[in-house]
Amino acid sequence: MRVSVFTIAGVYFSAMAASQKLTKPPLQPNLDNLKQGLVNNLKLTQSTEERVKAGWMPKACKDIANEEGKKPADFQVWKVKYNDDSPESFDALVKTFGRLPVHTRDYVRHVVSVPSAKDYAYNSDANVVFFGNTLNNLNVHLHESAHSLDIQKAYSDKQLSTSAKWLGAYRQDSAVPDPYSQTNQVENVAQNTVVASFQKNVPGGFSKLNPNANKIKNQYSTVIAEQKAGGDLLIPGGKCRKRLPNSESVPVGGTGQTLAAATIESIGDKPDMSIQDTTLEVLPDVPFDTREACNGTAFT
């Protein structure tokens, strides 16, 4: 079994506006027709990779492994540094995530890939977990990272999905992007972020791709305006300027307090996973978890 974790670098939704199912009809059956345009126009950022010392992994990743019924010792842990300074099957994960704009990646802490016969993903405390083939799907990378942008308050309206501006844009439109957007406003914002990214980065944009794009225009235009105010969060280019703190390194087989001295000696000293660049703004933690809405939901 090959399981991958790399460091890049819950709020369970209590607001009724964010958690209620939406009744407006979907504009499209899914967002598959956006994939290739996004892949073609969000270029891969080059990176260097370093295997983390065997026997250690970030605590958040170990917790996820245990919650998903996997053995932490089965995970390969890597530190990946993209050439725009955002430090984070493994190759597919790195290459797909590396297409996200750096200021989107700023708001993701760790990325985890778990083998599964079903394709789904979720975001827990800015740790994005991919199951099955979703690690290859740029739409899913954008969608799950969009939860971080929304709930980690990257936008000027802080949590966009509960803001008056967002709910006003939703009321003005007659549809939502696809059936998954109907889940609640948190998922609707995430799917509209995929649409907004296509609109801003692909020649002609979504408004050319779908002749009925005006039915959701107020929603994706609001995301575009908010990402602009946040510092071009969905636009490639620039350097890493903010980071969530990496979770501490813990031994794969147990906690540092309970491991025997001989075991500690065998796996070596605890690796330093802290952010080394003192010029970066360290973002505050905002605990959240989207697995209730995402877990078991298949992506195509």
Side-chain angles (χ1 to χ4, degrees):
M1 178 189 301
R2 187 179 187 187
V3 192
S4 296
V5 165
F6 61 97
T7 66
I8 40 187
V11 165
Y12 289 86
F13 307 114
S14 57
M16 290 300 291
S19 61
Q20 289 179 327
K21 186 172 178 62
L22 310 184
T23 57
K24 292 189 178 183
L27 183 63
Q28 301 188 163
N30 52 56
L31 300 184
D32 286 1
N33 59 338
L34 279 62
K35 285 181 190 176
Q36 196 56 52
L38 287 166
V39 169
N40 291 347
N41 290 277
L42 293 177
K43 304 303 183 184
L44 175 64
T45 301
Q46 297 303 307
S47 62
T48 56
E49 298 83 34
E50 176 188 352
R51 182 80 179 267
V52 172
K53 189 181 300 181
W56 297 92
M57 71 189 307
K59 183 180 183 300
C61 300
K62 182 178 178 180
D63 290 344
I64 288 168
N66 287 325
E67 289 165 5
E68 296 298 335
K70 306 297 182 183
K71 295 179 181 178
D74 287 338
F75 282 69
Q76 294 182 2
V77 184
W78 295 78
K79 292 172 69 175
V80 179
K81 181 178 175 61
Y82 291 103
N83 289 352
D84 49 25
D85 295 334
S86 179
E88 305 302 330
S89 150
F90 172 71
D91 289 341
L93 188 62
V94 172
K95 289 178 180 177
T96 307
F97 189 75
R99 291 184 183 277
L100 298 184
V102 61
H103 300 315
T104 299
R105 284 185 270 119
D106 284 352
Y107 287 85
V108 179
R109 190 194 322 274
H110 303 301
V111 175
V112 182
S113 173
V114 180
S116 174
K118 191 171 184 179
D119 296 342
Y120 63 101
Y122 64 78
N123 187 330
S124 176
D125 298 341
N127 303 300
V128 179
V129 188
F130 298 99
F131 294 81
N133 292 318
T134 56
L135 80 166
N136 297 299
N137 191 324
L138 184 55
N139 282 15
V140 180
H141 282 250
L142 277 165
H143 172 101
E144 296 302 334
S145 300
H147 287 315
S148 287
L149 296 177
D150 177 23
I151 304 166
Q152 293 283 345
K153 303 178 181 179
Y155 298 124
S156 58
D157 275 76
K158 305 309 178 187
Q159 185 167 345
L160 182 59
S161 54
T162 60
S163 69
K165 181 181 289 185
W166 174 257
L167 297 176
Y170 171 73
R171 284 192 293 269
Q172 291 178 65
D173 285 339
S174 60
V176 293
D178 68 345
Y180 192 52
S181 306
Q182 295 175 307
T183 306
N184 55 44
Q185 289 292 9
V186 171
E187 301 301 335
N188 190 28
V189 165
Q191 287 296 75
N192 269 286
T193 303
V194 179
V195 175
S197 181
F198 190 96
Q199 178 70 14
K200 288 298 294 180
N201 293 299
V202 179
F206 186 75
S207 52
K208 181 179 180 180
L209 182 72
N210 190 310
N212 295 311
N214 63 309
K215 292 183 177 181
I216 63 169
K217 185 175 182 179
N218 288 293
Q219 292 166 87
Y220 71 74
S221 294
T222 297
V223 174
I224 290 171
E226 290 288 307
Q227 70 82 34
K228 177 66 175 177
D232 287 328
L233 300 169
L234 300 178
I235 309 302
K239 295 285 187 179
C240 179
R241 58 195 180 203
K242 302 177 181 181
R243 286 288 296 135
L244 287 156
N246 292 327
S247 59
E248 66 169 324
S249 298
V250 296
V252 167
T255 66
Q257 289 76 14
T258 60
L259 278 185
T263 304
I264 292 289
E265 183 177 350
S266 69
I267 63 175
D269 295 333
K270 179 177 179 177
D272 183 4
M273 302 287 281
S274 63
I275 297 172
Q276 302 298 312
D277 188 343
T278 58
T279 67
L280 296 181
E281 176 187 346
V282 179
L283 296 165
D285 281 310
V286 181
F288 68 95
D289 200 312
T290 70
R291 78 184 79 192
E292 184 175 349
C294 296
N295 200 358
T297 300
F299 289 93
T300 57

